[in-house]
Amino acid sequence: MIKESELKDGISAIIPTYKGEKYISKLLDSLINQSIDFNLFEAIFIVNGELDSTPDIIKKYQKENPEVNIILTESEKGVCNARNKGIELAGRKYTIFIDDDDYVSHNYFEELYKCVKPNRVVVGTFLDVDENTCEVKNSYMTPPLLENSGIIENPYSTIADAIVITQNKVIPTVNVKNSSFNPELTNGVDIAYYANFYPENDFEFYVVDKDNQANYYRLWRHGSISRQDMSYKFNVQNRLKVINDINKGLKKAKTQEMRSFIESLTGGQIVKINDYLENYPEDYPKVLKDILSYDFEFFPYKYLNEDISKLNNEDRELIISYAFTPTNTTTSNVVAKRILSEKRNVDVICASLDDIRKDFTLEKVVLEYIVKKFTVSSNFSTDWDNIKNFMNEGMKLIEGYDRIYSRANFVHSHFLALEYKLNNPDTYWRAEFSDPLIYTFEKRHLSGKLEDEEYINKINNILKEKNLELISSKMDINCICEYLTFIFADKIIFTNESQKDVMMDTLNHNVDDIVNEKTAISPHPTLDEKYYYIKKSDYQLDEDYVNFAYFGVIFSNRALEDFINAFDNVYDKYREKIRLHIFSPNRTLFEQVLSRELLDKTTFNSNVDYLEFLNLSAKFDVLIVEDSFTKGHFIKNPYLPSKISDYRGSGTTIWAICEKDSEMSKLDIEYKSPMNDLYENTNTLNLIMSEKSNLPIKSCLKSKDEYNRQRTTELTQKIIELIEVCESEFKKDEIYQSQINELERKIQKLEKENSQIINSNSWKLTKNFRKIGKKFK
């Protein structure tokens, strides 16, 4: 590492040149006419690539101007190699980079050198010169702030464009010599260089007064490498290489200010990619796969393939979601999907829920749309005290919002939104329900009674003023949540019509007219294709088989039984080709319900993070989704499986096993079959396998009665085995308990026998000596 004392005073100008014969004289003239003492600068020209007369022109200037320190050398092809050679040769305390088609004012070096000091970057005035008209005009690289001299506050946000172009700045050479340009890059080299240079150095930035006319003149000419014709290589592949280098710099960032600055440098690269996609939209999947191959720590997916001008709205809605990413729940994921789909900047308030599993991959993506995030410290609970705490603590954090949105499965969100609405009546409140809140199957209540009389009285006073039905402590918490939300929200969002009908049917208040006026039906959103290519899954599939996937849990009303039955009855050759992949925390349950042959063909996996799930869903041959069986529990099936929205964006074949007249049965899905119909499900599986395996269609359904007896026998045997295991464990427990009882009796006997010794004065006096003895042991 070179020391400053080893360098001479002055400035080293590093000037790569490639076939610059048309322009180089203009630059040389500006250098030999500098007002600074010629002993205080050197001009290092590095010829790279194919030769023209440029070296001869430089040599002529060397000969005619011996008093000027003009150095001529060469490097391997490429501007990065040339600049790295110049860095190696630089011998002055400060360095500046100049392009061979640009030039500088006569006092440029002198004015910048007056302001130099260690750890400071000095910036001059940047002007553009039109190649055809020679018109000189202000550059976008020189924002109004640069017209004033002095130290710049917050330079990484106020003058970001000016400090990431290679030219027009003097930098301490000791810092430059610890850096290099990436020779693998042909475009965006300046962005990539400074993304890695600034995080390693704590600079202040000083701007020379514009009135001093310390001008750097940049020539705009057609064919410059930064302004090439559109191509996949230039607009996509080369941009991804630059973003990869930017990510390397991001890992060096020590402050949030620096991280934000470096992340912002990807913007220009995304513009180039979007330009290409606008002209070649059919290449979108190819672009996504190329992005995925890099496994970036940061990529601005928010802006990819979007109209950037419409994304950064100033007027922000407040999202109220008790559970929110990184907390890993279905509610968290759906709210995040709403934000990503609506493509608007928002603020968020949520609970920390430290006791619930986290998924930080989805958080990283959705944070691009979140300006402020408020967090109420809380573990997860559905009791009223926890709900009230979220409501009260949340109200201390939020104010000044004209629009709010809340979503329940967890009623905490709606209760906080209600409280905010009551305190701010003009605020527009969108309230979404994921499912009916009052009952689940068999009319089981989902919450306890609300016994907070103080809260009930407060709400009833408001309801009396509006001549509305009152609430009471005999009502469930969730029932009160539904009722009050229906009354006070400005828009009610249901995921489907059946959900709305069921919720109106189960609520013991007549609010149909109120709700109908402000209802919106909005199924769970399906994300853009790009989100399926963010988190690469390394999960391996054997392509010799047809791979089916099931994500989720099973319970009494959704047990995968129809698929199991179809598998057991499908054509033998098809059955040999089937492989099932289950992603669930319920492995033990699945092992009990799967038939023996299917169990042998099944691979069990733990749950995966949401973005990896999206990527995985695009890998399989078939995705299985089942309705919940609700007949006899509700007037109709109110549930639309949330996974269906994710599956529909994967491009993978979907097999939906549907309850009659359910919302899922009405969707346009390639393969659908009715629940509890052995013939139809087996036939559907035969059709799927004939398409996926290239084997001829063949159906060989067993007798329904015969199969039912076989299946019953198999399940009965499993129940018997489970009983035997339980009995064995109970016997072990009895033995263990007997051994524990015997040990306790021995301990009591020893305590009784030794009580006189332990309580004696001599035992107490020798306590410290016994401790010393233990240490020696």
Side-chain angles (χ1 to χ4, degrees), residues 462-490:
I462 298 170
L463 295 174
K464 285 175 187 176
E465 293 177 3
K466 297 180 177 293
N467 294 318
L468 294 167
E469 291 182 65
L470 306 184
I471 62 174
S472 76
S473 58
K474 296 179 181 180
M475 296 170 62
D476 292 356
I477 293 171
N478 288 13
C479 178
I480 290 173
C481 176
E482 279 192 14
Y483 173 55
L484 296 178
T485 303
F486 288 155
I487 289 172
F488 290 103
D490 297 282

mmCIF file of all heavy atoms in Angstrom, residues 462-490:
data_model
loop_
_atom_site.group_PDB
_atom_site.id
_atom_site.type_symbol
_atom_site.label_atom_id
_atom_site.label_comp_id
_atom_site.label_asym_id
_atom_site.label_seq_id
_atom_site.Cartn_x
_atom_site.Cartn_y
_atom_site.Cartn_z
ATOM 1 N N ILE A 462 -71.260 5.433 20.697
ATOM 2 C CA ILE A 462 -71.169 5.858 19.293
ATOM 3 C C ILE A 462 -72.299 5.245 18.475
ATOM 4 O O ILE A 462 -72.917 5.918 17.630
ATOM 5 C CB ILE A 462 -69.798 5.455 18.712
ATOM 6 C CG1 ILE A 462 -68.677 6.156 19.471
ATOM 7 C CG2 ILE A 462 -69.715 5.780 17.216
ATOM 8 C CD1 ILE A 462 -67.285 5.652 19.147
ATOM 9 N N LEU A 463 -72.592 3.962 18.746
ATOM 10 C CA LEU A 463 -73.664 3.285 18.002
ATOM 11 C C LEU A 463 -75.027 3.910 18.283
ATOM 12 O O LEU A 463 -75.874 4.014 17.383
ATOM 13 C CB LEU A 463 -73.687 1.789 18.350
ATOM 14 C CG LEU A 463 -72.455 0.981 17.933
ATOM 15 C CD1 LEU A 463 -72.541 -0.444 18.462
ATOM 16 C CD2 LEU A 463 -72.298 0.969 16.416
ATOM 17 N N LYS A 464 -75.245 4.355 19.536
ATOM 18 C CA LYS A 464 -76.527 4.991 19.887
ATOM 19 C C LYS A 464 -76.728 6.268 19.076
ATOM 20 O O LYS A 464 -77.833 6.547 18.610
ATOM 21 C CB LYS A 464 -76.546 5.326 21.388
ATOM 22 C CG LYS A 464 -76.746 4.132 22.305
ATOM 23 C CD LYS A 464 -76.627 4.550 23.769
ATOM 24 C CE LYS A 464 -76.665 3.346 24.697
ATOM 25 N NZ LYS A 464 -76.463 3.748 26.117
ATOM 26 N N GLU A 465 -75.655 7.034 18.924
ATOM 27 C CA GLU A 465 -75.755 8.281 18.159
ATOM 28 C C GLU A 465 -76.154 8.024 16.707
ATOM 29 O O GLU A 465 -76.776 8.850 16.058
ATOM 30 C CB GLU A 465 -74.413 9.018 18.191
ATOM 31 C CG GLU A 465 -74.033 9.546 19.570
ATOM 32 C CD GLU A 465 -72.664 10.197 19.567
ATOM 33 O OE1 GLU A 465 -72.049 10.276 18.472
ATOM 34 O OE2 GLU A 465 -72.193 10.621 20.640
ATOM 35 N N LYS A 466 -75.810 6.824 16.203
ATOM 36 C CA LYS A 466 -76.108 6.497 14.811
ATOM 37 C C LYS A 466 -77.337 5.612 14.680
ATOM 38 O O LYS A 466 -77.654 5.126 13.582
ATOM 39 C CB LYS A 466 -74.897 5.790 14.183
ATOM 40 C CG LYS A 466 -73.643 6.647 14.128
ATOM 41 C CD LYS A 466 -72.485 5.895 13.506
ATOM 42 C CE LYS A 466 -71.259 6.782 13.378
ATOM 43 N NZ LYS A 466 -71.452 7.873 12.411
ATOM 44 N N ASN A 467 -78.033 5.373 15.830
ATOM 45 C CA ASN A 467 -79.239 4.533 15.845
ATOM 46 C C ASN A 467 -78.964 3.135 15.289
ATOM 47 O O ASN A 467 -79.737 2.586 14.494
ATOM 48 C CB ASN A 467 -80.370 5.193 15.042
ATOM 49 C CG ASN A 467 -80.843 6.486 15.694
ATOM 50 O OD1 ASN A 467 -80.996 6.558 16.917
ATOM 51 N ND2 ASN A 467 -81.057 7.507 14.882
ATOM 52 N N LEU A 468 -77.846 2.559 15.704
ATOM 53 C CA LEU A 468 -77.469 1.226 15.255
ATOM 54 C C LEU A 468 -77.540 0.237 16.406
ATOM 55 O O LEU A 468 -77.530 0.618 17.590
ATOM 56 C CB LEU A 468 -76.039 1.262 14.695
ATOM 57 C CG LEU A 468 -75.853 2.078 13.411
ATOM 58 C CD1 LEU A 468 -74.361 2.295 13.138
ATOM 59 C CD2 LEU A 468 -76.508 1.374 12.233
ATOM 60 N N GLU A 469 -77.636 -1.054 16.071
ATOM 61 C CA GLU A 469 -77.701 -2.095 17.092
ATOM 62 C C GLU A 469 -76.447 -2.045 17.963
ATOM 63 O O GLU A 469 -75.340 -1.820 17.471
ATOM 64 C CB GLU A 469 -77.801 -3.468 16.443
ATOM 65 C CG GLU A 469 -79.128 -3.727 15.732
ATOM 66 C CD GLU A 469 -79.168 -5.125 15.144
ATOM 67 O OE1 GLU A 469 -79.143 -6.097 15.939
ATOM 68 O OE2 GLU A 469 -79.205 -5.245 13.901
ATOM 69 N N LEU A 470 -76.644 -2.297 19.247
ATOM 70 C CA LEU A 470 -75.536 -2.229 20.195
ATOM 71 C C LEU A 470 -74.832 -3.577 20.301
ATOM 72 O O LEU A 470 -75.357 -4.605 19.883
ATOM 73 C CB LEU A 470 -76.053 -1.794 21.570
ATOM 74 C CG LEU A 470 -76.870 -0.498 21.618
ATOM 75 C CD1 LEU A 470 -77.226 -0.164 23.062
ATOM 76 C CD2 LEU A 470 -76.107 0.656 20.971
ATOM 77 N N ILE A 471 -73.646 -3.543 20.865
ATOM 78 C CA ILE A 471 -72.909 -4.775 21.132
ATOM 79 C C ILE A 471 -73.005 -5.089 22.616
ATOM 80 O O ILE A 471 -73.387 -4.232 23.424
ATOM 81 C CB ILE A 471 -71.440 -4.658 20.697
ATOM 82 C CG1 ILE A 471 -70.729 -3.540 21.484
ATOM 83 C CG2 ILE A 471 -71.349 -4.390 19.199
ATOM 84 C CD1 ILE A 471 -69.222 -3.459 21.218
ATOM 85 N N SER A 472 -72.641 -6.324 22.990
ATOM 86 C CA SER A 472 -72.706 -6.704 24.406
ATOM 87 C C SER A 472 -71.608 -7.700 24.728
ATOM 88 O O SER A 472 -70.978 -8.268 23.828
ATOM 89 C CB SER A 472 -74.067 -7.325 24.734
ATOM 90 O OG SER A 472 -74.139 -8.649 24.235
ATOM 91 N N SER A 473 -71.405 -7.927 26.019
ATOM 92 C CA SER A 473 -70.371 -8.853 26.474
ATOM 93 C C SER A 473 -70.739 -10.307 26.195
ATOM 94 O O SER A 473 -69.927 -11.204 26.413
ATOM 95 C CB SER A 473 -70.125 -8.669 27.978
ATOM 96 O OG SER A 473 -71.313 -8.863 28.703
ATOM 97 N N LYS A 474 -71.941 -10.544 25.716
ATOM 98 C CA LYS A 474 -72.348 -11.898 25.344
ATOM 99 C C LYS A 474 -71.882 -12.260 23.932
ATOM 100 O O LYS A 474 -72.006 -13.406 23.505
ATOM 101 C CB LYS A 474 -73.873 -12.036 25.431
ATOM 102 C CG LYS A 474 -74.437 -11.881 26.835
ATOM 103 C CD LYS A 474 -75.943 -12.014 26.832
ATOM 104 C CE LYS A 474 -76.507 -11.841 28.249
ATOM 105 N NZ LYS A 474 -77.983 -11.961 28.273
ATOM 106 N N MET A 475 -71.373 -11.270 23.234
ATOM 107 C CA MET A 475 -70.951 -11.484 21.845
ATOM 108 C C MET A 475 -69.473 -11.867 21.776
ATOM 109 O O MET A 475 -68.656 -11.409 22.583
ATOM 110 C CB MET A 475 -71.197 -10.218 21.018
ATOM 111 C CG MET A 475 -72.665 -9.838 20.890
ATOM 112 S SD MET A 475 -72.886 -8.200 20.152
ATOM 113 C CE MET A 475 -72.157 -8.453 18.531
ATOM 114 N N ASP A 476 -69.140 -12.690 20.763
ATOM 115 C CA ASP A 476 -67.742 -13.062 20.522
ATOM 116 C C ASP A 476 -66.944 -11.842 20.068
ATOM 117 O O ASP A 476 -67.476 -10.930 19.426
ATOM 118 C CB ASP A 476 -67.650 -14.117 19.420
ATOM 119 C CG ASP A 476 -68.241 -15.449 19.849
ATOM 120 O OD1 ASP A 476 -68.642 -15.561 21.015
ATOM 121 O OD2 ASP A 476 -68.304 -16.358 19.006
ATOM 122 N N ILE A 477 -65.644 -11.882 20.367
ATOM 123 C CA ILE A 477 -64.738 -10.824 19.896
ATOM 124 C C ILE A 477 -64.799 -10.714 18.373
ATOM 125 O O ILE A 477 -64.919 -9.621 17.813
ATOM 126 C CB ILE A 477 -63.288 -11.119 20.349
ATOM 127 C CG1 ILE A 477 -63.172 -11.019 21.868
ATOM 128 C CG2 ILE A 477 -62.303 -10.156 19.673
ATOM 129 C CD1 ILE A 477 -61.837 -11.509 22.417
ATOM 130 N N ASN A 478 -64.738 -11.858 17.691
ATOM 131 C CA ASN A 478 -64.726 -11.844 16.226
ATOM 132 C C ASN A 478 -66.050 -11.371 15.644
ATOM 133 O O ASN A 478 -66.088 -10.719 14.600
ATOM 134 C CB ASN A 478 -64.384 -13.231 15.690
ATOM 135 C CG ASN A 478 -62.913 -13.591 15.898
ATOM 136 O OD1 ASN A 478 -62.213 -12.915 16.650
ATOM 137 N ND2 ASN A 478 -62.461 -14.627 15.238
ATOM 138 N N CYS A 479 -67.132 -11.708 16.318
ATOM 139 C CA CYS A 479 -68.453 -11.244 15.869
ATOM 140 C C CYS A 479 -68.525 -9.719 15.937
ATOM 141 O O CYS A 479 -69.012 -9.059 15.010
ATOM 142 C CB CYS A 479 -69.542 -11.884 16.726
ATOM 143 S SG CYS A 479 -71.211 -11.340 16.311
ATOM 144 N N ILE A 480 -68.046 -9.169 17.031
ATOM 145 C CA ILE A 480 -68.030 -7.708 17.196
ATOM 146 C C ILE A 480 -67.138 -7.071 16.142
ATOM 147 O O ILE A 480 -67.467 -6.032 15.564
ATOM 148 C CB ILE A 480 -67.564 -7.340 18.620
ATOM 149 C CG1 ILE A 480 -68.652 -7.741 19.632
ATOM 150 C CG2 ILE A 480 -67.233 -5.857 18.729
ATOM 151 C CD1 ILE A 480 -68.236 -7.577 21.079
ATOM 152 N N CYS A 481 -65.994 -7.733 15.852
ATOM 153 C CA CYS A 481 -65.088 -7.209 14.828
ATOM 154 C C CYS A 481 -65.779 -7.141 13.473
ATOM 155 O O CYS A 481 -65.718 -6.124 12.780
ATOM 156 C CB CYS A 481 -63.842 -8.090 14.744
ATOM 157 S SG CYS A 481 -62.703 -7.590 13.432
ATOM 158 N N GLU A 482 -66.443 -8.222 13.086
ATOM 159 C CA GLU A 482 -67.155 -8.227 11.798
ATOM 160 C C GLU A 482 -68.201 -7.120 11.751
ATOM 161 O O GLU A 482 -68.265 -6.340 10.790
ATOM 162 C CB GLU A 482 -67.827 -9.586 11.571
ATOM 163 C CG GLU A 482 -66.904 -10.658 11.048
ATOM 164 C CD GLU A 482 -67.672 -11.884 10.568
ATOM 165 O OE1 GLU A 482 -68.909 -11.800 10.405
ATOM 166 O OE2 GLU A 482 -67.029 -12.924 10.345
ATOM 167 N N TYR A 483 -69.019 -7.048 12.776
ATOM 168 C CA TYR A 483 -70.134 -6.102 12.802
ATOM 169 C C TYR A 483 -69.644 -4.650 12.709
ATOM 170 O O TYR A 483 -70.112 -3.870 11.879
ATOM 171 C CB TYR A 483 -70.946 -6.320 14.079
ATOM 172 C CG TYR A 483 -72.029 -5.305 14.329
ATOM 173 C CD1 TYR A 483 -73.006 -5.043 13.376
ATOM 174 C CD2 TYR A 483 -72.077 -4.607 15.535
ATOM 175 C CE1 TYR A 483 -74.010 -4.113 13.608
ATOM 176 C CE2 TYR A 483 -73.078 -3.671 15.785
ATOM 177 C CZ TYR A 483 -74.033 -3.426 14.813
ATOM 178 O OH TYR A 483 -75.021 -2.492 15.040
ATOM 179 N N LEU A 484 -68.676 -4.294 13.547
ATOM 180 C CA LEU A 484 -68.202 -2.905 13.567
ATOM 181 C C LEU A 484 -67.458 -2.542 12.283
ATOM 182 O O LEU A 484 -67.565 -1.415 11.796
ATOM 183 C CB LEU A 484 -67.292 -2.681 14.781
ATOM 184 C CG LEU A 484 -67.965 -2.845 16.157
ATOM 185 C CD1 LEU A 484 -66.948 -2.639 17.275
ATOM 186 C CD2 LEU A 484 -69.139 -1.893 16.315
ATOM 187 N N THR A 485 -66.725 -3.502 11.740
ATOM 188 C CA THR A 485 -66.018 -3.241 10.481
ATOM 189 C C THR A 485 -67.017 -3.013 9.352
ATOM 190 O O THR A 485 -66.852 -2.096 8.532
ATOM 191 C CB THR A 485 -65.066 -4.401 10.147
ATOM 192 O OG1 THR A 485 -64.150 -4.598 11.233
ATOM 193 C CG2 THR A 485 -64.278 -4.110 8.879
ATOM 194 N N PHE A 486 -68.056 -3.840 9.308
ATOM 195 C CA PHE A 486 -69.090 -3.675 8.276
ATOM 196 C C PHE A 486 -69.733 -2.287 8.347
ATOM 197 O O PHE A 486 -70.042 -1.676 7.330
ATOM 198 C CB PHE A 486 -70.168 -4.742 8.423
ATOM 199 C CG PHE A 486 -69.725 -6.118 8.010
ATOM 200 C CD1 PHE A 486 -70.358 -7.242 8.536
ATOM 201 C CD2 PHE A 486 -68.703 -6.314 7.112
ATOM 202 C CE1 PHE A 486 -69.974 -8.516 8.163
ATOM 203 C CE2 PHE A 486 -68.295 -7.580 6.730
ATOM 204 C CZ PHE A 486 -68.937 -8.698 7.260
ATOM 205 N N ILE A 487 -69.901 -1.799 9.547
ATOM 206 C CA ILE A 487 -70.586 -0.513 9.726
ATOM 207 C C ILE A 487 -69.672 0.665 9.379
ATOM 208 O O ILE A 487 -70.069 1.582 8.647
ATOM 209 C CB ILE A 487 -71.080 -0.366 11.182
ATOM 210 C CG1 ILE A 487 -72.244 -1.321 11.444
ATOM 211 C CG2 ILE A 487 -71.510 1.077 11.464
ATOM 212 C CD1 ILE A 487 -72.659 -1.366 12.901
ATOM 213 N N PHE A 488 -68.439 0.646 9.880
ATOM 214 C CA PHE A 488 -67.617 1.861 9.833
ATOM 215 C C PHE A 488 -66.619 1.918 8.664
ATOM 216 O O PHE A 488 -66.178 3.011 8.305
ATOM 217 C CB PHE A 488 -66.863 2.018 11.154
ATOM 218 C CG PHE A 488 -67.753 2.372 12.308
ATOM 219 C CD1 PHE A 488 -68.121 1.419 13.246
ATOM 220 C CD2 PHE A 488 -68.258 3.657 12.442
ATOM 221 C CE1 PHE A 488 -68.961 1.738 14.315
ATOM 222 C CE2 PHE A 488 -69.097 3.990 13.500
ATOM 223 C CZ PHE A 488 -69.453 3.027 14.438
ATOM 224 N N ALA A 489 -66.261 0.794 8.091
ATOM 225 C CA ALA A 489 -65.325 0.835 6.966
ATOM 226 C C ALA A 489 -66.006 1.450 5.745
ATOM 227 O O ALA A 489 -67.218 1.329 5.556
ATOM 228 C CB ALA A 489 -64.814 -0.564 6.646
ATOM 229 N N ASP A 490 -65.205 2.081 4.889
ATOM 230 C CA ASP A 490 -65.743 2.703 3.674
ATOM 231 C C ASP A 490 -65.819 1.716 2.521
ATOM 232 O O ASP A 490 -66.627 1.882 1.608
ATOM 233 C CB ASP A 490 -64.864 3.892 3.275
ATOM 234 C CG ASP A 490 -64.870 4.973 4.343
ATOM 235 O OD1 ASP A 490 -65.855 5.721 4.411
ATOM 236 O OD2 ASP A 490 -63.898 5.038 5.126
#
